[in-house]
Every structure is written in structure tokens, then in C-alpha cells.
């Protein structure tokens, strides 16, 4: 009885102590292309300079006020703002740098320079989901906040759990070249990259991209059922699954494994080599279409 009385007293005191705290709005760091009707008229150098200045300010603001529970540290490619423990943060940094180095071998022109960015690491899925309610961007890279997002997810962790991180880095590389690149990605490239990065392995040094069971199963399905693989050109033209009309919602893209296969061929086999060597006897119209479409990302 005495304990209940004391608890009631303490609880009442706690409620009495509650007081409203005035909200202090942070400085708005709006992306320079947002609301600028003349943005498209500026040349590439002017747009890049404006985006770099803005990106530096965004990162500086995050370091100055990293939010409760986060610790900030500067690394070679990013400013890491992490709520996870130091050991996990170190593993994420190693995997991120491995991916960045791998991309430098595949997309050297696109990775020569990079704009400042924040690699934000969440400590649990609940924290990550709460954060996602505050943003409209569905990718692992939020181009208007210059943030790469990754979470410590025990259900999808370990050396095979870095797919989301690798996609964030790839999206950032594209965005660094031109802020219009990500919104304009064709669905076959977008979904192909998604699956390619998902089926990956990284132990901090060794980085591998292998065909997932889903991808292998889908490819095996066609000959077993006496069906042809989806026509490459139809995939690229999106004739296999036309975009919805009249404001209807988009159905889930149904050819992600096939598109991942195209990306895998281009990056891991002889796709780019075939494109560069137009006289190659291995070159056919399908090779030209695949390589040209993805090669355009470098321009």
C-alpha cells in the first residue's frame, strides 16, 4: 500500500512537471534546383557549383547538430552520422568504401569527383521506419538531404546484408553527376541495379555480386517451359509492361531478375567490351542495345 501511494505521488509529480517546449525551426537548406524556374537554363558548370555549395552546407549542418544519439565522423567519401555502436559503424564504413572502390573501376568517369554527402546509420528498424515517415524519397539515397540511409537490421544482416547500402552509393554516384538522373531512370535499369546490388557479399575487403536464387530460377524457367526469354529490346522499351495511364498506380515491376541479368552481363561479363569493340564478331544488335543504354549513364 505504501509503495502504491509513493508511486502515485511520483507519477503525479511527473505529470505536473510536464511543460510545453517551444519548437525551434532549423535553417532551411532547400536544394538549389527546387523552385528555380531558371535552373534548366544554367550550364552544367554553374549547376554543379551551386549543388556543391549547397551540399557542403547540408553536411556542415548535420555535423553541427547530429541529433540525439548520433555521432558524426568525417571519412574519405562521406560524413558518417551513426546511432549504431562503433563496431557496426566500422563494418558499414568498410563495406561502403569497398563498393565505392568497385564502382570506380566500373564507372571511372562518374566517380572521379563526388559531392559532400551524409551516410546515416540507424541502430534498429523501428528508428529507420520512423525516419522514413518524415521523407518522401523511397530510395536509400535522399537527394534533397544528401543522405545515404542504412540500418542495422538483424534479420537482414551479415556479409550478405549490404544491398541497401550499395544501392545508396550507386544512387549517389548518379546524382553527383546530374540531379535529374535518378528521377529519369528507366524502369529496367532501375530495377536491374536494385536486384544486382541486393544479391551481393562483402566482408569489408572481398566484394562479390552473384546471381540470386530468384534470378537463377527465373532464367531456368524459360527453357524448362519451352518459352523464350523476354525480348531485350522490348524490356528496354518497356513494352513488356507498359506504364499505367490515367493516373493509375504502377504495378510492381515484373521483370527485375531479367533486368538484373542484363546489368550483370554488362558489368561482370563482356558487355562493355563488346560495346567498345564494334567490329567484334560477338557483337549483335542485342549487345549494342544493352551496352548503349547503360553506357549513356556515364555521359
Amino acid at each position: 500500500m505504501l509503495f502504491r501511494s509513493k508511486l502515485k505521488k511520483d507519477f503525479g509529480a511527473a505529470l505536473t512537471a510536464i511543460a510545453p517546449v517551444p519548437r525551434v525551426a532549423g535553417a532551411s537548406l532547400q536544394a538549389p534546383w527546387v523552385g528555380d524556374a531558371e535552373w534548366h537554363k544554367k550550364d552544367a558548370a554553374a549547376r554543379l557549383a551551386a549543388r556543391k555549395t549547397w551540399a557542403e552546407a547540408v553536411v556542415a549542418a548535420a555535423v553541427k547538430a547530429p541529433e540525439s544519439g548520433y555521432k558524426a565522423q568525417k571519412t574519405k567519401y562521406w560524413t558518417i552520422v551513426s546511432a549504431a555502436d562503433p563496431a557496426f559503424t566500422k563494418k558499414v564504413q568498410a563495406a561502403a568504401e569497398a563498393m565505392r572502390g568497385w564502382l570506380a573501376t566500373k564507372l571511372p568517369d562518374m566517380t572521379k569527383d563526388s559531392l559532400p554527402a551524409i551516410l546515416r546509420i540507424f541502430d534498429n528498424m523501428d528508428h529507420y521506419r520512423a525516419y522514413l515517415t518524415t521523407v518522401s524519397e523511397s530510395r536509400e539515397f535522399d537527394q534533397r538531404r544528401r543522405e545515404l540511409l542504412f540500418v542495422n537490421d538483424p534479420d537482414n544482416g551479415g556479409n550478405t546484408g549490404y544491398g541497401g547500402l550499395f544501392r545508396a552509393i550507386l544512387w549517389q554516384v548518379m546524382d553527383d553527376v546530374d540531379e535529374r538522373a535518378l528521377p529519369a531512370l528507366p524502369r529496367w535499369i532501375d530495377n536491374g541495379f536494385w536486384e544486382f546490388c541486393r544479391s551481393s557479399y562483402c566482408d569489408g575487403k572481398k566484394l562479390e555480386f552473384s546471381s540470386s536464387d530468384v534470378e537463377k530460377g527465373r532464367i531456368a524457367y524459360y527453357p524448362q517451359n519451352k518459352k523464350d526469354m523476354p525480348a531485350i529490346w522490348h524490356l528496354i522499351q518497356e513494352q513488356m509492361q507498359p506504364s499505367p495511364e490515367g493516373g493509375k498506380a504502377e504495378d510492381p515491376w515484373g521483370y527485375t531478375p531479367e533486368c538484373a541479368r542484363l546489368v550483370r552481363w554488362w558489368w561482370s561479363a563482356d558487355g562493355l567490351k563488346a560495346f567498345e569493340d564494334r567490329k567484334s564478331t560477338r557483337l549483335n544488335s542485342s549487345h549494342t542495345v544493352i551496352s548503349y543504354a547503360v553506357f549513356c549513364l556515364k555521359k
Side-chain angles (χ1 to χ4, degrees):
M1 190 69 179
L2 182 62
F3 174 76
R4 181 186 300 178
S5 176
K6 185 177 185 306
L7 181 62
K8 183 178 180 181
K9 182 179 179 181
D10 291 344
F11 186 67
L15 290 177
T16 303
I18 295 176
V21 177
R23 179 179 180 274
V24 179
S28 176
L29 296 173
Q30 182 170 269
W33 65 87
V34 177
D36 185 352
E38 302 297 315
W39 180 257
H40 68 285
K41 297 180 181 180
K42 299 177 180 178
D43 59 34
R47 294 200 308 270
L48 180 60
R51 290 199 301 137
K52 184 176 181 181
T53 299
W54 163 72
E56 290 172 346
V58 168
V59 173
V63 173
K64 185 178 180 181
E67 300 182 25
S68 178
Y70 284 96
K71 292 184 179 180
Q73 60 173 307
K74 178 71 175 177
T75 65
K76 182 178 181 180
Y77 298 109
W78 308 279
T79 294
I80 297 179
V81 178
S82 177
D85 65 80
F88 182 77
T89 301
K90 186 176 181 179
K91 289 180 180 179
V92 174
Q93 179 183 345
E97 290 179 352
M99 178 61 173
R100 181 80 191 195
W102 186 86
L103 283 175
T105 67
K106 300 297 181 180
L107 303 170
D109 294 339
M110 294 175 65
T111 51
K112 288 187 299 184
D113 301 304
S114 62
L115 300 180
I118 301 159
L119 172 51
R120 184 178 293 275
I121 304 174
F122 301 87
D123 192 39
N124 60 72
M125 286 300 298
D126 289 337
H127 194 185
Y128 180 54
R129 293 189 188 99
Y131 178 88
L132 290 180
T133 64
T134 69
V135 297
S136 57
E137 179 59 63
S138 61
R139 296 184 185 275
E140 293 88 352
F141 174 70
D142 188 331
Q143 65 175 167
R144 294 197 182 190
R145 295 195 186 190
R146 293 296 301 172
E147 291 193 357
L148 299 85
L149 308 176
F150 190 62
V151 60
N152 185 3
D153 181 5
D155 295 329
N156 186 32
N159 294 338
T160 59
Y162 292 112
L165 175 67
F166 295 160
R167 287 192 296 272
I169 296 167
L170 177 59
W171 304 146
Q172 184 208 341
V173 166
M174 293 181 182
D175 184 73
D176 284 350
V177 175
D178 194 311
E179 76 283 349
R180 299 167 296 182
L182 290 181
L185 274 185
R187 289 182 296 174
W188 75 272
I189 294 181
D190 199 343
N191 286 276
F193 282 153
W194 192 97
E195 175 64 20
F196 180 87
C197 291
R198 186 187 71 85
S199 52
S200 56
Y201 171 93
C202 182
D203 60 6
K205 296 180 180 179
K206 186 179 181 181
L207 180 59
E208 295 179 349
F209 297 93
S210 58
S211 300
S212 67
D213 291 340
V214 174
E215 184 180 328
K216 291 176 182 177
R218 183 68 69 85
I219 302 306
Y221 166 83
Y222 297 101
Q224 290 175 359
N225 292 274
K226 298 181 180 180
K227 293 184 177 182
D228 294 331
M229 289 280 289
I232 292 173
W233 185 231
H234 283 182
L235 274 177
I236 293 174
Q237 288 185 311
E238 303 192 352
Q239 293 180 8
M240 300 298 296
Q241 183 174 325
S243 298
E245 298 180 356
K248 295 181 180 179
E250 171 76 271
D251 291 329
W253 179 246
Y255 300 93
T256 296
E258 291 86 350
C259 295
R261 200 70 162 184
L262 300 186
V263 174
R264 195 176 309 285
W265 173 82
W266 179 69
W267 264 345
S268 303
D270 66 346
L272 185 57
K273 188 182 297 182
F275 173 74
E276 293 175 339
D277 182 9
R278 293 179 179 272
K279 296 181 180 180
S280 171
T281 56
R282 295 170 297 168
L283 184 62
N284 58 39
S285 59
S286 296
H287 287 181
T288 305
V289 167
I290 299 169
S291 296
Y292 177 73
V294 187
F295 185 78
C296 286
L297 292 174
K298 298 172 63 178
K299 298 301 181 181

